[in-house]
Amino acid sequence: MHPIIFFSKMDFSQSNLFGYIEDLQELTIIERPVRRSLKTPEEIERLTVDEELSDIERAVYLLSSGQDIQGTSVVANLPVLMRQNPAETLRRVLPKIREVLHVAGVEMQLTAAVSFLTILQEESVSIHMYSHSFLHIILQNLEHRDAGVSNAWLETLLAVIEALPKETVRHEILNPLVSKAQLSQTLQSRLVSCKILGKLANKFEAHIVKREILPLVKSLCQDVEYEVRTCMCRQLEHIAQGVGTELTKTVVLPELVELARDEGSSVRLAAFETLVNLLDMFDADDRSQTVLPLVKSFCEKSFKADESILVSLSFHLGKLCNGLYGIFTPEQHLRFLEFYKKLSTLGLQQENGHNDNQLQLQTLEQEKKYISVRKNCAYNFPAMIVFVDPKNFHLELYSIFFCLCHDPEVPVRYTMAISFYEVAKLLNCGVYTIHKELVTLLQDESLEVLDALAGHLPEILELMTNGGENSGSESKLLSIPDLIPALTTAEQRAAASLKWRTHEKLLQKYACLPHIISSDQIYYRFLHRMLTIILTNNVLPVQKAAARTLCVYLRYNRKQEQRHEVIQKLIEQLGQGKSYWNRLRFLDTCEFIMELFSKSFFCKYFFLPVLELTHDPVANVRMKLCYLLPKVKSTLKIPTDKHLLQQLELCIRKLLCQEKDKDVLTIVKRTVLELDRMEISVDAFQKRFYENDLLDQEKERQEHLLLEMEQLEKEKQQNEGRSTNINDKMFEKKRRDSKTSSVLTKSITVSVPGSSSGTSAGKEDRKSKLVRSQSFSTQALHPKYSNIDKCPNKSSATGYTSSVSGMGKTCMLSFSDDSFRTHSTGNSGNAAFPSSSSSHSLFNSAEQKNNGNKESQSRRTSM
């Protein structure tokens, strides 16, 4: 068969024209029923209302002679009428609504219930007036034949009960409830009575509940209809909270025990759930003698004859095991643990055993139930770790954890991903045992699982690499090689999908990686990937998330060469890119740089590239730049950046003179006014900029620290190489001639005291810097270590004291005074990290002073 080809040109010859006309006639036939469905002039006349009528008069007219849809509209607008004119609405509109509701349909009834509740919440009238006007209408419609309408009015009544005074509730609701709860009343009436009793138990004192409410509760617990018994059983939790511990033990618990043995499965289920929720109110005797036997019978029957309770039992098992923990014998403890393990693999044994007959008999309903049970077991897994103690996790629960993380159903793995962080926190120092499951969930085929895991991914990764006592270098080496490929795979799978929100979330969470892995690993595996996403992805939130994470990686990169390379790529590929979309993303990236880096860093690398975009041919780029200019100006410091300020003013003048786009010109003028009102910070501290200057100085200090770290690491590598060579040569010399070695040691100890002290001081200083650099690199991006200057000050102080230990008090005083002056000038990098050459010169000068005459010594002593 040949494919049908549709020609773009239409043939308007006479033969084809009649075919087009026939097609159009068919279309008109199709439209005829639509035209017939329109309103006739008589119907339009009947639906028309005089425009001169007021809102109250129009509402009364529509309720009296209008159609149902118009009456429903009036009822929906009732809260507005109550706000505008409450007195006239209560006098004229509300009586009409009461009349209409007797014969109204379901839609108007539901609308009225919502409107009455809205009026109560908005407090349009006093509660006394509300109970006088609205309460009777609510009570009249409670027993509507439609269950949905009845429940809607019941919800409104339960909300009203909380606001009404006790006397009104007692006379208007509690007293009529005695007759409504009798067996002679309808099923709907008794069900409504159960829910109202549960609400009233918290409204009155315990003695009133005992005298007037508990007799009704007992009666309804023994009702002939199982629906009533189930409903009343679920309300026993609220009633127990209202009557207190003593009455709960003597009255509520016996009723629960009886209902737990009821013939109806729904009644037994309600009794079981209520027992679990009330565990805290029972003492140890009640738990061991009453509750525990009931729970054991529930567990035994759940697999045999009563599968309806299985899902609920698996959901409450964690709470149940920890609530009864104190009364368990070792045998019972083991039995409940085995029961949990059995539930965790429910429905999977047949597949593993390849029993085809059982698989065929297994219905779809059972399969859904088994999935729900395993999902509930995943939900309860942190509680079961507490139950068995985290120390016994590997022996008791690891196999179940493995099964749940590899479950064939997505809801089970999704629940495990959500609770993974709780499990990691509980395991603490043993968290390395679940590393493989983290990698498995990161590589899960379902993006829902990945999205659930990403919620606490930074905390999980931190616990994996740094958590616990046994988390030394060995566990890091074991975990990181597997984690990095898993993280890159997860990001690529999220990027390939259509779920961009998951991708955005993942990129935001990856900003934690400088605290987790090394700078080189981030540079080679993640940093360039972020740049690629900015350049190629089509989703704006994803691009912004990648841009911010890239700036974080750049902020904590430890190699100057790599930093310069990334900065160059940002300027060339984004700021000077061919696509205006890339240039817009460059401005977004500059915003993140101003947020994360110091002012001097931005001014050094990005200030002029940003100003170049004032000549951009695309109006949207110039417009975005104008919005950014106030932030750009705030990065300047006078007088250091005076030339940059002149460049900024020159660019603004050019924009004002040469801009042709009206929208951009409007924004430029508005920006100029804002820039004129701005005050530029000065290099010295000022009170109005004090906090911002401190923040900026801290950022600048950390940037200097990165440079120091790089330099110190290079020096350390060079010194290690030299020391190994020197040690080898010394060893050879000692072996050849022992006399020469003894002379050499004497010359070292006698002739070079000054140089040895200087080098020791330099070594001590370098050691302190290395300690600080290591602490800084491990504390990056962590809230606990935001105030990083405490650690360097301590380490620098130890460096100073150790290097000046043999020079006397005088030299220590002068040296500390000098360091304090340097720090107070604002050059934090030099103050915190004096170079080895400066320290060497200080020590030499100190030595010369010590070898001076007595007068200088006495002068120093007096000082």
Side-chain angles (χ1 to χ4, degrees), residues 829-842:
N830 297 328
F833 308 101
S835 62
S836 58
S837 60
S838 63
S839 61
H840 185 70
S841 63
L842 281 169

Side-chain angles (χ1 to χ4, degrees), residues 71 126 166 322 411 435 619 628 730 750:
S126 64
K166 292 181 181 179
N322 287 284
H435 157 253
L628 194 63
M730 292 284 288
V750 175

